[in-house]
Amino acid sequence: MRILTGIQPSGQLHIGNYFGAIKPAVDLQPRGDCTYFIADYHSMTSLFDGAARRQYTRDVALDWLACGLDPQKSLLFRQSDVPEVCELMWILGTLAPMGLLERAHSYKDKTARGISPNVGLFAYPVLMAADILLYDTNLVPVGRDQKQHVEITRDLAIKFNLAYGADTLVIPESEIRDETAVVPGLDGQKMSKSYGNTLEIFGEEKPTRKKIMSIVMDSRTPAEPKPDADKNLAIQLLKLVAPADVAADYENRLRAGGLGYGDLKKALFEHYWNFFAPYRARRAELAADAAYVESVLKDGAARARAIAAPVLARVRKATGLA
Ligand code: ADP
Ligand code: TRP
């Protein structure tokens, strides 16, 4: 079974990315052939700074490797190192109705927020379909926000097979995990790079402590019981980074009254910091060897290309290009 997912190099990764995308992807490694890539072509629809893209691409690769992606077992590569994906995108684009793409949430959300759309943003789901179909993918683990894109991929694959031959493209399934589907940000909204409410996975100690200590809470005194303790943002985040019994103990103390928000936030920082400590150490080791990450990406791209070649040959033959 081929499992594939991509992540855009558009900024520093946060714990929403970790619990929503990286950890589930790393946990899937024993279940199939994992194919993970850094979607640098996709990042071009919203990031227009080459030096920043290069830096973020390297950072995302380091983050994946530090968080447990095993490059012996799984593929990690840069999307643009397999430019064949652009050819498949063109072919799929000729089967994609304008109306289908006009209904894509990501496109509608961005235009609604006043971002003036470029052709790349409009065609974004077609490139994503090409990413998925180029490797005969069976399973695509993604956050809920990407579900529609996988459905568009299935539509395009079915249309292609109808037009050009039943068994040319593999029809993929998405896998959406609901338990960590939405990690809340420091303002209580969905944590997102675009909202400036993130807790980075690998932030510096002092500024991160400051961010956590500045989380705004209500004005109830420490002594007051808080029957809504489970809704408290620090408790919700603590549940992700602390052992279950420790988080439950804080929640009970907050509910009963007697636990101050300052002490709760201190505990959150400590557990956050300790949770990521082994990954931080591993990341520092990997970062010290500049050539290593590049060699993993190049090796991943060579292996990915070998998987893509027969698929593209099938497509070219079916469509009469070859
Ligand atoms: P961002 O919203 O910060 O720009 P991306 O859209 O680049 O994040 O998302 C990369 C991956 O991380 C996707 O699989 C997405 O579903 C997941 N993800 C992003 N934010 C969260 C969150 N707050 N909770 C859970 N998963 C998230
Ligand atoms: N669109 C995805 C995101 O923003 C990234 C992505 C690009 C992707 N191509 C993909 C995810 C293929 C899964 C499969 O998060």
Side-chain angles (χ1 to χ4, degrees), residues 7 14 16-17 20-21 142-143 145 180-183 190-194:
I7 195 157
H14 51 76
N17 297 138
V142 279
D145 55 327
T180 45
V182 182
V183 175
K190 172 192 136 93
M191 186 177 290
S192 171
K193 277 166 255 158
S194 344

Side-chain angles (χ1 to χ4, degrees), residues 10 13 41 44 50-51 57 65 88 105 110 135-136 146 159 198 263 265 269 273 276 282 308-309 312 319:
S10 53
L13 297 190
Y41 281 143
M44 300 187 78
T57 300
L65 292 167
L88 184 58
H105 300 309
K110 289 201 172 125
Y135 303 101
D136 280 346
Q146 298 296 322
K159 280 190 103 175
T198 55
D263 288 336
K265 289 191 271 188
F269 174 78
W273 194 254
F276 288 108
R282 174 94 183 108
L312 198 57
T319 49

Side-chain angles (χ1 to χ4, degrees), residues 114-140:
I115 296 170
S116 94
N118 51 56
V119 173
L121 189 65
F122 186 68
Y124 184 114
V126 186
L127 179 58
M128 185 155 158
D131 286 328
I132 295 170
L133 300 173
L134 185 59
Y135 303 101
D136 280 346
T137 301
N138 304 106
L139 195 69
V140 188

Side-chain angles (χ1 to χ4, degrees), residues 3-297:
I3 302 168
L4 173 141
T5 196
I7 195 157
Q8 291 194 54
S10 53
Q12 285 215 320
L13 297 190
H14 51 76
I15 68 166
N17 297 138
Y18 177 76
F19 289 103
I22 297 184
K23 181 173 186 301
V26 166
D27 291 346
L28 278 169
Q29 288 185 118
R31 272 181 55 197
D33 296 323
C34 290
T35 312
Y36 298 146
F37 66 93
I38 304 167
D40 54 353
Y41 281 143
H42 275 109
S43 74
M44 300 187 78
T45 59
S46 58
L47 176 69
F48 301 92
D49 176 338
R53 187 169 1 265
R54 194 170 294 112
Q55 183 63 44
Y56 290 148
T57 300
R58 189 183 140 75
D59 284 348
V60 170
L62 275 172
D63 292 349
W64 273 108
L65 292 167
C67 291
L69 185 141
D70 175 358
Q72 302 297 323
K73 217 193 231 153
S74 306
L75 296 188
L76 178 66
F77 64 99
R78 209 189 263 118
Q79 184 185 28
S80 64
D81 278 343
V82 189
E84 290 89 329
V85 74
C86 294
E87 181 179 352
L88 184 58
M89 179 196 173
W90 171 257
I91 295 169
L92 295 170
T94 61
L95 294 167
M98 297 289 285
L100 180 71
L101 300 182
E102 276 160 2
R103 286 193 298 277
H105 300 309
S106 64
Y107 174 73
K108 286 205 298 195
D109 291 351
K110 289 201 172 125
T111 45
R113 273 196 270 137
I115 296 170
S116 94
N118 51 56
V119 173
L121 189 65
F122 186 68
Y124 184 114
V126 186
L127 179 58
M128 185 155 158
D131 286 328
I132 295 170
L133 300 173
L134 185 59
Y135 303 101
D136 280 346
T137 301
N138 304 106
L139 195 69
V140 188
V142 279
R144 217 183 290 153
D145 55 327
Q146 298 296 322
K147 185 174 185 321
Q148 192 194 26
H149 289 152
V150 182
E151 274 155 19
I152 293 176
T153 304
R154 289 169 54 89
D155 280 0
L156 294 178
I158 290 167
K159 280 190 103 175
F160 183 98
N161 286 351
L162 270 173
Y164 293 115
D167 293 323
T168 318
L169 294 174
V170 172
I171 315 291
E173 304 277 344
S174 59
E175 182 172 270
I176 318 279
R177 271 154 318 269
D178 275 328
E179 66 283 10
T180 45
V182 182
V183 175
L186 299 182
D187 58 358
Q189 285 197 63
K190 172 192 136 93
M191 186 177 290
S192 171
K193 277 166 255 158
S194 344
Y195 302 156
N197 62 358
T198 55
L199 195 53
E200 278 71 37
I201 308 177
F202 297 112
E204 301 272 328
E205 182 167 0
K206 264 201 175 157
T208 310
R209 185 192 298 271
K210 208 169 149 202
K211 266 190 177 183
I212 289 182
M213 295 311 290
S214 327
I215 296 176
V216 178
M217 305 236 151
D218 58 58
S219 55
R220 286 177 288 179
T221 63
E224 265 180 82
K226 304 188 178 58
D228 52 353
D230 57 320
K231 306 263 170 359
N232 180 281
L233 177 63
I235 292 289
Q236 288 177 22
L237 294 174
L238 195 62
K239 284 180 181 165
L240 295 171
V241 293
D245 56 331
V246 173
D249 183 49
Y250 275 99
E251 186 178 336
N252 291 336
R253 283 166 57 200
L254 192 67
R255 187 173 294 112
L259 172 66
Y261 289 141
D263 288 336
L264 173 59
K265 289 191 271 188
K266 253 188 228 153
L268 173 59
F269 174 78
E270 295 305 328
H271 283 283
Y272 151 81
W273 194 254
N274 292 336
F275 182 91
F276 288 108
Y279 304 143
R280 201 173 297 117
R282 174 94 183 108
R283 195 180 190 283
E285 265 171 42
L286 294 168
D289 184 354
Y292 175 72
V293 170
E294 199 47 39
S295 74
V296 168
L297 292 177

